[in-house]
Amino acid sequence: MNVSADLHIHSKYSAATSGMMDLDTIAAEARRKGIHLVGTGDALHPQWLENLRRLPERDGILWHNDLTGFVVTAEVEDSEGVHHLILIPDLSKAGELREIFRKSSSNIDTDGRPRILLSGAEIADLCLEADCIIGPSHAFTPWTGIFAHHRSLKECYGDRADDILFIELGLSADSDYADRISELRERTFLSNSDGHSPWSNKLGREFNQFDIRDISFQELRLAIERRSGRKPLLNVGFYPEEGKYNRTACTRCYRQYTMKEMDELLGRCGCGGSIKLGVRDRVEILADLPQPVHPDHRPPYIHIIPLAEIIAMALGHKSVFTAGVRKIWSDLVSERTEIEVLLLAEISELNTDERVARAIEAFRSGDVVVTPGGGGRYGRISLPPPRAPSSKEPSQRSLLDF
């Protein structure tokens, strides 16, 4: 079966998250999005853990009304500031892990994403001993990603590096970026939302599709390990340039710089702000391959943005929450999930504003203009001006071909 999964979100108990990040709202919005399996996030937090225990558990998956599956997950920060995503086999293991980490954390009872005063290698060792799956969160993010602090998995995870099965790419990177680093060749790439809000422009804004036999923790593990015929089928997410740390830029005025200019200015912008090295340039430093080399097991990476953002762009609205955008979005997802609208439905079958239909088709074909972000400001995506079709132009491959 083809399962869409967003394995990294946060609850209302994490800093800077919506108060609506509760189980009922997350489950309802995941269903409308078309996400079958969503990470619980924050499973080490005592109040969230109590909420999770109210859901029935089967084969390591918590079920909300037998419709939305939750896999038990947590994100932690190590002593060097690196974030790690932990996939946990069941709630009992989450309780055990919480008690183990309590000895090394001062905020595990107050923050859904706790700081653990242990190295990445020590955290990995404890998680793997508890039969969890662990890997770096948003690996290329310049503040808290593994590659902001380390040059390799080995440098972070030590002797446990070979047991790191996945890399979470994050919003500012995709498979083309990561597959320029040969060390990552055998790892499975995950694309998750890191959602802090349940609404459709955040939850599931990046997701994965897996080929598994049923929804269980063991099947998810097999898919990440790519064993017994289980495997990832798609990574779906942003254009890397849309990420807010894609380019090297000032964190105050957002002016973008080359690496050479950053070095010459000693990392200080003319406005007085700090210049932050962007993901694209960090990859250039780390890469040992001039171009991405995708292994045979790597699935396609599809660039898309949330449907509400596409609608707002097509209509010329600045917000995804205007009445016009919400009306068209609600009509489109009344009979299909958002993922079906974005990836699968025939454009001719979408009974919607012609501008919106053209915009969805433009994203499917990659016919969009991306202005890169950096320094903490997201990039911008726009649609090119309409052009007359030419019989000489090669046809784009449809997402339906995957």
Side-chain angles (χ1 to χ4, degrees), residues 1-3 36 210-215 219 231 233:
M1 63 188 297
N2 185 333
V3 171
H36 309 104
F210 296 109
D211 182 5
I212 55 180
R213 292 184 181 174
D214 56 61
I215 299 179
E219 286 289 311
K231 60 186 177 180
L233 294 174

Side-chain angles (χ1 to χ4, degrees), residues 307-383:
L307 179 59
E309 294 184 16
I310 292 177
I311 296 169
M313 185 186 310
L315 301 183
H317 292 199
K318 292 184 178 179
S319 170
V320 298
F321 297 109
T322 65
V325 172
R326 297 300 296 172
K327 173 66 166 61
I328 292 178
W329 182 86
S330 296
D331 289 345
L332 281 169
V333 301
S334 62
E335 296 182 355
R336 300 179 175 91
T337 68
E338 179 171 322
I339 289 174
E340 289 171 335
V341 172
L342 290 173
L343 300 184
L344 300 174
E346 293 286 354
I347 297 296
S348 60
E349 295 177 357
L350 297 178
N351 185 20
T352 190
D353 187 296
E354 184 179 347
R355 293 169 295 174
V356 173
R358 285 201 306 265
I360 294 172
E361 189 169 33
F363 271 92
R364 289 186 178 187
S365 65
D367 191 18
V368 295
V369 178
V370 186
T371 303
R377 183 166 66 181
Y378 284 107
R380 300 186 306 278
I381 297 184
S382 57
L383 299 170

Side-chain angles (χ1 to χ4, degrees), residues 255 257-270 275:
R255 178 182 172 182
Y257 292 90
T258 65
M259 280 194 289
K260 181 180 178 182
E261 289 170 337
M262 176 183 173
D263 291 340
E264 290 173 346
L265 293 169
L266 301 178
R268 185 63 62 182
C269 178
I275 302 172

Side-chain angles (χ1 to χ4, degrees), residues 60-347:
I61 302 298
L62 312 177
W63 287 96
H64 186 278
N65 293 334
D66 283 327
L67 295 172
T68 303
F70 285 88
V71 59
V72 184
T73 65
E75 184 183 32
V76 300
E77 180 179 302
D78 70 22
S79 59
E80 296 185 79
V82 176
H83 288 190
H84 307 268
L85 177 62
I86 309 168
L87 312 182
I88 306 172
D90 53 46
L91 284 176
S92 65
K93 287 290 186 183
E96 292 176 19
L97 205 58
R98 169 181 155 73
E99 291 307 310
I100 293 169
F101 284 151
R102 279 187 70 186
K103 305 168 189 175
S104 305
S105 177
S106 62
N107 68 342
I108 198 168
D109 291 334
T110 57
D111 195 336
R113 185 184 58 210
R115 186 158 196 234
I116 311 296
L117 295 178
L118 297 171
S119 69
E122 291 170 321
I123 289 172
D125 192 54
L126 292 170
C127 289
L128 292 165
E129 287 298 317
D131 206 28
C132 300
I133 308 170
I134 182 172
S137 303
H138 37 72
F140 297 95
T141 302
W143 298 104
T144 56
I146 184 174
F147 294 121
H149 299 266
H150 302 285
R151 295 187 64 90
S152 68
L153 296 178
K154 179 77 171 177
E155 190 175 287
C156 177
Y157 293 112
D159 292 340
R160 284 296 200 171
D162 288 343
D163 298 311
I164 302 304
L165 303 178
F166 72 82
I167 303 293
E168 184 183 67
L169 297 170
L171 302 186
S172 291
D174 63 7
S175 299
D176 281 348
Y177 278 49
D179 271 333
R180 290 190 58 201
I181 302 171
S182 57
E183 180 195 27
L184 305 182
R185 179 178 178 83
E186 293 307 315
R187 270 68 182 191
T188 292
F189 293 165
L190 296 182
S191 44
N192 301 311
S193 72
D194 194 4
H196 286 54
S197 161
W199 310 128
S200 66
N201 63 320
K202 300 299 183 184
L203 183 66
R205 60 185 171 178
E206 295 204 345
F207 64 93
N208 316 273
Q209 287 190 347
F210 296 109
D211 182 5
I212 55 180
R213 292 184 181 174
D214 56 61
I215 299 179
S216 69
F217 187 84
Q218 180 60 18
E219 286 289 311
L220 177 61
R221 182 192 293 275
L222 288 173
I224 292 173
E225 293 175 345
R226 308 186 308 276
R227 290 198 298 118
S228 302
R230 284 69 154 185
K231 60 186 177 180
L233 294 174
L234 281 179
N235 292 110
V236 181
F238 283 22
Y239 286 89
E241 293 84 357
E242 193 185 0
K244 59 183 178 180
Y245 295 110
N246 184 264
R247 294 293 201 263
T248 296
C250 174
T251 58
R252 180 186 293 177
C253 72
Y254 308 116
R255 178 182 172 182
Q256 295 182 8
Y257 292 90
T258 65
M259 280 194 289
K260 181 180 178 182
E261 289 170 337
M262 176 183 173
D263 291 340
E264 290 173 346
L265 293 169
L266 301 178
R268 185 63 62 182
C269 178
C271 76
S274 298
I275 302 172
K276 195 66 177 174
L277 186 69
V279 170
R280 185 186 66 164
D281 288 334
R282 182 58 175 162
V283 169
E284 200 64 43
I285 292 170
L286 296 171
D288 56 348
L289 300 169
Q291 298 294 328
V293 178
H294 302 303
D296 291 342
H297 67 78
R298 189 75 69 222
Y301 194 108
I302 304 302
H303 297 108
I304 204 78
I305 65 172
L307 179 59
E309 294 184 16
I310 292 177
I311 296 169
M313 185 186 310
L315 301 183
H317 292 199
K318 292 184 178 179
S319 170
V320 298
F321 297 109
T322 65
V325 172
R326 297 300 296 172
K327 173 66 166 61
I328 292 178
W329 182 86
S330 296
D331 289 345
L332 281 169
V333 301
S334 62
E335 296 182 355
R336 300 179 175 91
T337 68
E338 179 171 322
I339 289 174
E340 289 171 335
V341 172
L342 290 173
L343 300 184
L344 300 174
E346 293 286 354
I347 297 296

